[in-house]
């Protein structure tokens, strides 16, 4: 009976992680209009993080006061790491990559995270590195590269892609991996609500020094951005982080990070269906490969032989 309930919880957690990736992948639907209004990526990041943090703090104070209690130096440092590295630095590095390179390269470099998670999970948590996981990771990574059109981008003029852009992109992927690892560790003691509340609160504080408030307020005074900021904060930030962090309760970090590769696929689908940006056969093949990798991760009852 216990085994059955565990399997059911794992399936539900898998669905949650997939849904979180769909939410993250839909961010372009609301971020593009905001960018066209004159808000830069740092402004958008600050607004989505701060609104999410304030909402979580108010909700916790009214209904879940125990979720605001943390103790111990080790746990406090983990919360700081989650907010500084997993939220603030990840977005700063990611948007720097977008500025220095291309959107497709930034997306692919961000999703080097599963590789980092697999390595760190093996080193720090002795998580099994199996043939199934490696095959799924390779297939998903190939699918991510194909679906974002990176190959066609790099086959052209690459003079605009700087070494700095590549380094910051890889750093964004590493930060994303840190969030996954740190959250998995904190879930042993704290609820997903506590983790997300502190992560976004600390992340918001860290973004204050790099945010040009005069410029941001000027744009907000001229344009009503609330119809876009609210869904950006709740549907594309709060909801997916809740689902993803909760999903880590019953899904190994390495599996979760590979499943999250659905995000760039969803973004690509939106670009085709909503923004009418066209598609290629290689892009469609990439989408198929990502879903194949997820099927591989979730079939079979027994894990293959451990590699390390």
């Amino acid at each position: 009976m216990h085994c059955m309930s565990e399997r059911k919880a794992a399936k539900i957690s898998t669905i949650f992680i997939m849904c979180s990736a769909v939410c993250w992948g839909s961010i372009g639907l609301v971020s593009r209009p905001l960018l066209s209004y004159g808000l830069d990526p740092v402004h958008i990041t600050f607004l989505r993080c701060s609104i999410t943090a304030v909402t979580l703090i108010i909700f916790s104070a009214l209904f879940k006061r125990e979720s605001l209690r943390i103790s111990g130096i080790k746990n406090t440092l983990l919360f700081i790491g989650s907010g500084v590295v997993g939220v603030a630095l990840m977005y700063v590095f990611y948007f720097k990559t977008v500025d220095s390179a291309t959107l497709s390269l930034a997306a692919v470099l961000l999703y080097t995270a599963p590789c980092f998670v697999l390595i760190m999970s093996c080193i720090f948590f002795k998580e099994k590195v199996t043939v199934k996981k490696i095959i799924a990771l390779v297939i998903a990574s190939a699918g991510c590269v194909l679906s974002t059109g990176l190959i066609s981008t790099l086959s052209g003029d690459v003079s605009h892609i700087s070494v700095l852009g590549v380094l910051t992109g890889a750093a964004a992927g590493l930060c994303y991996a840190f969030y996954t690892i740190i959250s998995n560790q904190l879930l042993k003691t704290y609820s997903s609500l506590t983790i997300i509340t502190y992560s976004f609160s600390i992340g918001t504080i860290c973004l204050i020094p790099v945010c040009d408030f005069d410029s941001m307020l000027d744009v907000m005074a001229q344009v009503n951005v609330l119809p876009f900021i609210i869904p950006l904060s709740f549907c594309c930030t709060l909801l997916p982080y809740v689902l993803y962090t909760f999903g880590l309760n019953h899904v190994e970090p390495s599996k979760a990070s590979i499943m999250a590769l659905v995000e760039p696929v969803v973004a690509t689908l939106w670009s085709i269906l909503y923004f009418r940006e066209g598609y290629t056969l290689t892009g469609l093949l990439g989408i198929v490969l990502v879903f194949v990798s997820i099927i591989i991760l979730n079939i079979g009852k027994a894990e293959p032989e451990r590699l390390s």
Side-chain angles (χ1 to χ4, degrees), residues 85 90 109-110 112-113 116-117 120 168-180:
V85 179
M90 186 191 77
L109 288 173
L110 177 63
T112 55
F116 292 124
V117 171
M120 288 189 288
T168 54
L174 182 60
C175 290
Y176 185 10
F178 263 111
Y179 177 83
T180 300

Side-chain angles (χ1 to χ4, degrees), residues 51-86:
I51 292 173
T52 301
V54 170
T55 301
L56 287 169
I57 290 171
I58 293 173
F59 175 83
S60 298
L62 292 176
F63 305 106
K64 293 279 187 179
R65 289 190 179 182
E66 66 276 8
S67 67
L68 295 175
R69 300 191 188 101
I70 62 173
S71 61
I73 296 176
K74 179 184 176 182
N75 288 332
T76 301
L77 290 175
L78 286 174
F79 278 113
I80 292 173
S82 178
V84 174
V85 179

Side-chain angles (χ1 to χ4, degrees), residues 242-300:
V242 169
L243 293 173
Y244 185 77
T245 306
F246 183 85
L248 288 172
N249 275 299
H250 299 283
V251 175
E252 293 175 336
S254 57
K255 282 187 178 182
S257 61
I258 295 171
M259 291 176 192
L261 283 167
V262 170
E263 179 186 341
V265 170
V266 172
T268 302
L269 287 173
W270 277 124
S271 70
I272 295 170
L273 299 174
Y274 187 80
F275 294 108
R276 308 294 181 185
E277 293 184 348
Y279 61 90
T280 62
L281 289 178
T282 55
L284 293 177
L285 174 61
I287 292 172
V288 171
L289 287 177
V290 171
F291 284 105
V292 167
S293 72
I294 293 166
I295 293 172
I296 290 173
L297 283 174
N298 288 281
I299 59 174

Side-chain angles (χ1 to χ4, degrees), residues 134-166:
I134 292 177
I135 291 174
L137 178 59
V138 171
I139 292 175
S141 298
C144 186
V145 170
L146 291 174
S147 67
T148 56
L150 179 63
I151 292 177
S152 60
T153 299
L154 295 181
S155 64
D157 179 18
V158 297
S159 59
H160 60 289
I161 299 178
S162 67
V163 174
L164 177 62
V166 174

Side-chain angles (χ1 to χ4, degrees), residues 40-61:
D40 72 24
V42 175
H43 296 155
I44 296 172
T45 302
F46 176 80
L47 287 170
R48 67 187 290 211
C49 287
S50 59
I51 292 173
T52 301
V54 170
T55 301
L56 287 169
I57 290 171
I58 293 173
F59 175 83
S60 298

